[in-house]
Amino acid sequence: MSTGLMWFRRDLRLRDNTALHHALAACEKVYCVFCFDREILDRIEDKSDRRVDFIHQCVSELDTELSKLGSSLIVRYARASEDIPTLARTLNADRVYANHDYEPRRISRDQAVGMALQRDGRELLTYKDHVVFERNEIINQSGLPFRVYTPYKKAWRSALRDEHIAERDCSLKNGKFAKPLPAWSHAWTLGDLGFSKSDLTVAGGMCAARAMFEEFLQRIDHYRDLRDFPAADGVSRLSVHLRFGTISIRELVREAIKRSSAGAATWVDELIWREFYNMILHFFPHTQSHAFQTDLDDLPWRRDREQFGAWCEGRTGYPIVDAAMRELNATGYMHNRARMIVASFLTKDLLIDWCWGERYFARKLLDYDLSQNLGGWQWSASIGTDAQPYFRVFNPVLQSERFDPAGVYIRRFVPELRHYPNHAIHEPWKTPPISQAQFKCVIGRDYPEPIVDHDESRRAAVEMFRVARSRST
């Protein structure tokens, strides 16, 4: 009797799961495991980290759903690279099944697990599941990776066939899920893992993901028109569920394509951006810490920790920037338009190293994904693929007036300014002192003055890039 071990990682669902599909098809008996990997958890300083709380909810739901099928989830708290081969030996599992993980550190982990299993006469089998197209599946006619999004998108859409997004059957016939012994699991309450309950406001798990997606489908046709407005209910907010795989990317694309609307097509384009950045990290791993455009890797970024601290805490004096950073700190979420605004402000107004911002997002974002974060930050800093041209610098006031015209988003996260009228809330420092007092927020006392002058900063940023460009030519 062949025995398989299904190793869940960033695919925390029982439906439309490629590795699980193969495990159930090939094995007479399948055990399921999730490992709270100490190589990851031990690095997290915040012991009320929202991501750990979210994952814990997802794992709890997996265990509950498997219990309904007469099985349960084996949960470990250990170094996965060492523990998974040991567990496979304990279970006498011939093969360990998992889905591809694309981050360089996780690739090294999987290589270590694969070699350890091989020495023991076992095998690690991994599958594409996190994306529709991966690695070198979408390349140009010269056999090279695309460096610009638009031709990649056209090639992606041209290559797409029904089989690429067909559901991977994980139907539970023949009772193949095995019942593990309780002793095979470690204690895994949040306290057992060294963490505590967070202020997480997003529900984790498969059911929550499906409910969120079904609700978004009622609004998807309006996505193109509303997606850039942080105060509007215009986006799906499914990024965290995609990050941890509580819903299948294939299902999202299948359902969106059925809609045949401009809004749905634009949303699929955003999912393609996700795969583009995933491909870029595969072919250009140096982008983890260096510019994609290597000739811009030595820009003289400033190392001003005081201004960086003001940016982190939402104290820049630019309301749209501060609202976005406070939303991130309070919830772990930030709207995509807001991400572009704050990234441009850090790199073009403050001239601070993009890596500092990327690492701050890595600590704070609930949906943090290495390839997406790198791609977004390098785009904003004008050093990445398809980058924002360096001479186009986001004006935070104009961005605010355009995408939060009534100041709804600003008032939500910068309540000091709630009494300012719409016409004044984007540049409150220009309001006469007597009016500031009437609006119950004196600039420089109750809310900071701008820490930089945007026009001056823009000129400095353009000059910095112009000099760097001239040196490289």
Side-chain angles (χ1 to χ4, degrees):
M1 177 181 291
S2 61
T3 300
L5 176 61
M6 172 64 199
W7 179 16
F8 289 95
R9 292 103 68 88
R10 52 187 301 172
D11 53 348
L12 302 176
R13 67 185 187 280
L14 296 177
R15 176 177 168 180
D16 198 3
N17 185 314
T18 308
L20 182 58
H21 162 79
H22 284 282
L24 291 172
C27 301
E28 295 297 321
K29 183 168 60 173
V30 177
Y31 291 98
C32 295
V33 63
F34 179 85
C35 182
F36 284 99
D37 195 341
R38 296 197 62 164
E39 292 182 10
I40 299 173
L41 266 61
D42 288 354
R43 298 171 182 264
I44 299 175
E45 296 179 2
D46 182 1
K47 296 309 176 184
S48 58
D49 188 275
R50 298 182 184 105
R51 287 167 295 192
V52 177
D53 194 354
F54 184 90
I55 294 169
H56 192 269
Q57 291 184 24
C58 298
V59 173
S60 298
E61 185 191 46
L62 269 180
D63 183 45
T64 298
E65 293 304 307
L66 285 168
S67 296
K68 294 176 182 177
L69 301 169
S71 181
S72 62
L73 185 67
I74 300 171
V75 181
R76 311 284 284 187
Y77 174 48
R79 295 184 180 277
S81 57
E82 302 167 357
D83 193 63
I84 294 299
T86 300
L87 181 62
R89 187 182 311 115
T90 300
L91 301 174
N92 197 26
D94 309 287
R95 300 182 186 91
V96 174
Y97 293 82
N99 289 309
H100 293 161
D101 197 333
Y102 300 97
E103 296 188 4
R105 283 184 178 177
R106 312 304 165 234
I107 292 171
S108 298
R109 174 203 60 196
D110 289 354
Q111 290 172 343
V113 170
M115 289 188 290
L117 289 168
Q118 190 174 35
R119 288 193 296 268
D120 206 22
R122 307 178 199 282
E123 189 176 11
L124 173 65
L125 299 176
T126 64
Y127 302 89
K128 177 182 67 172
D129 185 75
H130 188 61
V131 291
V132 175
F133 293 113
E134 65 176 0
R135 297 173 179 164
N136 62 349
E137 290 186 319
I138 303 295
I139 53 178
N140 66 25
Q141 293 182 346
S142 300
L144 299 173
F146 286 100
R147 291 169 172 258
V148 177
Y149 166 72
T150 300
Y152 175 89
K153 177 184 72 173
K154 292 178 179 177
W156 191 102
R157 285 189 172 275
S158 177
L160 186 67
R161 300 291 183 272
D162 288 345
E163 59 266 27
H164 295 128
I165 54 175
E167 182 173 354
R168 290 5 177 195
D169 181 20
C170 296
S171 54
L172 311 173
K173 49 198 173 198
N174 302 326
K176 287 189 174 183
F177 284 110
K179 180 70 174 177
L181 295 176
W184 293 340
S185 282
H186 297 154
W188 56 284
T189 67
L190 280 172
D192 293 323
L193 304 174
F195 288 83
S196 59
K197 194 69 178 171
S198 74
D199 59 358
L200 180 68
T201 58
V202 180
M206 300 171 280
C207 293
R210 175 141 291 99
M212 184 177 286
F213 183 45
E214 290 175 356
E215 189 276 330
F216 175 63
L217 286 176
Q218 308 304 311
R219 302 181 282 107
I220 194 172
D221 295 344
H222 305 289
Y223 175 78
R224 185 172 69 172
D225 298 327
L226 297 178
R227 66 188 179 123
D228 278 318
F229 297 87
D233 194 14
V235 298
S236 74
R237 291 183 175 251
L238 281 164
S239 54
V240 63
H241 288 286
L242 274 172
R243 168 64 180 86
F244 295 109
T246 51
I247 196 165
S248 163
I249 180 64
R250 292 177 294 277
E251 180 177 359
L252 302 189
V253 176
R254 282 197 306 269
E255 294 301 318
I257 287 176
K258 289 179 185 177
R259 304 293 298 202
S260 299
S261 69
T266 301
W267 191 62
V268 172
D269 288 347
E270 294 303 306
L271 297 178
I272 299 172
W273 265 110
R274 175 176 173 268
E275 306 213 345
F276 175 67
Y277 283 148
N278 187 276
M279 177 273 297
I280 290 295
L281 180 59
H282 169 71
F283 281 106
F284 306 98
H286 74 275
T287 56
Q288 290 178 87
S289 55
H290 297 280
F292 176 85
Q293 299 181 39
T294 54
D295 59 326
L296 296 177
D297 200 33
D298 59 351
L299 285 168
W301 299 110
R302 297 174 62 239
R303 303 300 199 265
D304 191 320
R305 295 198 174 275
E306 183 176 345
Q307 288 193 342
F308 180 66
W311 177 85
C312 292
E313 296 170 12
R315 296 184 289 101
T316 69
Y318 286 90
I320 192 71
V321 174
D322 294 341
M325 294 306 297
R326 294 185 193 186
E327 178 186 29
L328 173 64
N329 293 332
T331 69
Y333 173 80
M334 189 190 291
H335 187 280
N336 188 59
R337 169 58 58 175
R339 296 185 198 202
M340 292 189 285
I341 293 171
V342 302
S344 177
F345 188 84
L346 184 74
T347 57
K348 303 293 182 59
D349 283 79
L350 303 184
L351 299 178
I352 288 177
D353 193 342
W354 68 273
C355 289
W356 287 23
E358 194 278 334
R359 289 165 192 158
Y360 189 76
F361 272 26
R363 293 197 301 273
K364 293 292 184 176
L365 278 174
L366 185 58
D367 64 3
Y368 176 75
D369 184 297
L370 178 62
S371 63
Q372 310 311 301
N373 208 42
L374 291 172
W377 270 97
Q378 294 205 11
W379 182 90
S380 294
S382 301
I383 59 172
T385 63
D386 227 14
Q388 169 85 343
Y390 73 87
F391 49 82
R392 293 182 188 162
V393 178
F394 277 18
N395 182 318
V397 174
L398 296 182
Q399 291 285 313
S400 182
E401 292 173 340
R402 181 177 179 184
F403 297 114
D404 190 31
V408 175
Y409 181 67
I410 291 171
R411 290 187 183 91
R412 186 180 304 162
F413 293 102
V414 189
E416 305 98 297
L417 299 173
R418 63 188 178 277
H419 298 296
Y420 273 67
N422 296 349
H423 72 272
I425 198 168
H426 308 287
E427 296 178 283
W429 61 90
K430 290 188 176 180
T431 300
I434 190 170
S435 297
Q436 293 180 20
Q438 291 173 348
F439 300 150
K440 302 178 182 179
C441 180
V442 176
I443 304 305
R445 185 190 71 188
D446 305 313
Y447 179 74
E449 296 177 347
I451 60 174
V452 291
D453 179 279
H454 170 72
D455 291 336
E456 292 179 2
S457 295
R458 181 193 177 280
R459 286 191 290 271
V462 170
E463 178 63 14
M464 181 179 76
F465 276 90
R466 188 194 64 76
V467 171
R469 290 285 187 190
S470 65
R471 288 174 178 169
S472 64
T473 56

